[in-house]
Amino acid sequence: MSFFYLLPAYWLTGMLLYASSPRQQFLKTQQFKPPRWLALVTIALLSVITLSLLIGAHFSPVVAGIFALLGLMLFIPAPVFLLNHKPQWAIASIIAICVLSAGLQLISGGQ
């Protein structure tokens, strides 16, 4: 079973975490800066969703935990590093990660 449709959620969560940082350069106007607790709650909810989907697909809890941990370690910091160096690539990165995850999901046949 493939879970490539979770990649945009991880990417957007990483962008939310970066947007709530006090040193971010992503949001030009400071009209709305998401609170830090919202980013942390989103990360926790994404972890619970990932674990429940994997355990529901009959993965062992250890494998599900490792998959969720690797997802958090790899896909949450990636948009932070990207936006720290190239904040103008935000929209293009969202489009690219959605197209990539949709393509991988279609290639895997939804399994």
Side-chain angles (χ1 to χ4, degrees):
M1 187 147 218
S2 60
F3 295 99
F4 292 114
Y5 54 85
L6 289 174
L7 291 179
Y10 279 107
W11 193 264
L12 290 172
T13 303
M15 291 180 86
L16 180 65
L17 183 66
Y18 181 70
S20 66
S21 171
R23 292 179 284 180
Q24 59 90 14
Q25 301 163 355
F26 176 57
L27 301 172
K28 298 293 184 204
T29 61
Q30 295 296 326
Q31 294 173 351
F32 174 72
K33 184 177 153 193
R36 188 85 166 159
W37 64 267
L38 181 64
L40 297 176
V41 166
T42 306
I43 290 171
L45 285 174
L46 186 59
S47 300
V48 168
I49 289 170
T50 303
L51 286 173
S52 64
L53 283 173
L54 289 172
I55 291 174
H58 304 294
F59 284 90
S60 71
V62 174
V63 172
I66 290 172
F67 185 86
L69 184 65
L70 286 175
L72 290 172
M73 286 174 45
L74 297 174
F75 292 111
I76 298 293
V80 172
F81 290 138
L82 175 77
L83 293 176
N84 193 26
H85 296 290
K86 300 283 185 182
Q88 66 271 20
W89 289 1
I91 301 298
S93 70
I94 293 171
I95 293 169
I97 202 73
C98 288
V99 167
L100 177 71
S101 66
L104 290 173
Q105 189 72 26
L106 289 173
I107 288 171
S108 68
Q111 296 184 13

